[in-house]
Amino acid sequence: MSMSLGRLDVLVKVAESRTDQAAEELGRRKAGLNEQEGRLQELRRYMDDYRTRPLPASSMLIANRERFLARLNEAEVQQLRAVDYASNAVRESTQAWLVQRAGQQKFGVLQTAAAGRETRAAEQQQQKVMDDFALRGYAKPVSD
C-alpha cells in the first residue's frame, strides 16, 4: 500500500514543524543552562573574593563572616542543583530534537521514493502512449 505524494508532503511539513519546535525548545534550554552556569561562576567569583578579604578584628565580625560564608556555600549548592536541572533539561530536549529529526528524515526518504515511483509511472504511461501511437501508425493500411 503506497501513500500519495500529496499526503506525504503534508506529513513532511508536519514533521519539519515539529523538528523546528524541538530545536527552538532546545535553544531555550541551552540558553537557560548558560544563564545558570553564569550565575554559578559569578557566585564562585564573589565567594573567592570574599574569602580573600582580610579577617576583621573582632570575634563577633569573624563569626558574622563565617555565617555569611556558610550561607554562600548553601547558595552555591542550590545553584549547582539549578545547573544540574538545566543540564538535564538540555539532555532531554536534545533527545526530543533527535527523535523529531529522525522522523522528519524518514518521511523525507518516503517522499523521495514516492516521487520516484510517480515519475516512473508517468514515464511508463508516456511510453505506452508512444507505443500505441506507433502501433496504430504501423498497422494502418497504406492506400494508393
Side-chain angles (χ1 to χ4, degrees), residues 23-65:
E24 289 170 7
E25 180 65 19
L26 176 57
R28 282 191 293 275
R29 297 294 184 163
K30 283 183 176 182
L33 175 59
N34 289 339
E35 181 181 332
Q36 296 300 333
E37 287 175 335
R39 288 179 182 174
L40 178 62
Q41 293 302 325
E42 186 177 324
L43 178 61
R44 285 180 172 167
R45 278 192 301 274
Y46 180 76
M47 290 172 64
D48 289 342
D49 180 53
Y50 195 79
R51 282 187 185 115
T52 59
R53 291 180 185 172
L55 287 176
S58 79
S59 61
M60 185 176 81
L61 292 176
I62 291 174
N64 285 344
R65 180 180 189 271

Side-chain angles (χ1 to χ4, degrees), residues 75-91:
E76 180 184 29
V77 168
Q78 186 177 10
Q79 190 58 37
L80 281 167
R81 280 191 220 120
V83 167
D84 189 46
Y85 179 81
S87 181
N88 286 334
V90 167
R91 278 192 292 280

Side-chain angles (χ1 to χ4, degrees), residues 84-137:
D84 189 46
Y85 179 81
S87 181
N88 286 334
V90 167
R91 278 192 292 280
E92 289 171 5
S93 290
T94 299
Q95 187 61 35
W97 174 73
L98 288 171
V99 167
Q100 292 299 327
R101 189 178 70 163
Q104 178 187 353
Q105 290 172 339
K106 288 176 186 175
F107 281 122
V109 168
L110 289 173
Q111 184 183 38
T112 301
R117 283 191 303 274
E118 285 190 9
T119 300
R120 284 189 299 280
E123 288 171 352
Q124 289 172 348
Q125 180 62 32
Q126 181 64 29
Q127 185 62 47
K128 183 179 177 191
V129 167
M130 296 298 283
D131 290 347
D132 288 346
F133 180 74
L135 281 174
R136 276 190 238 126

Side-chain angles (χ1 to χ4, degrees), residues 6-21 104 107-108 111:
R7 288 174 67 190
L8 279 171
D9 287 343
V10 170
L11 291 174
V12 166
K13 286 180 182 171
V14 169
E16 286 173 353
S17 175
R18 289 181 179 169
T19 302
D20 290 346
Q21 289 171 351
Q104 178 187 353
F107 281 122
Q111 184 183 38

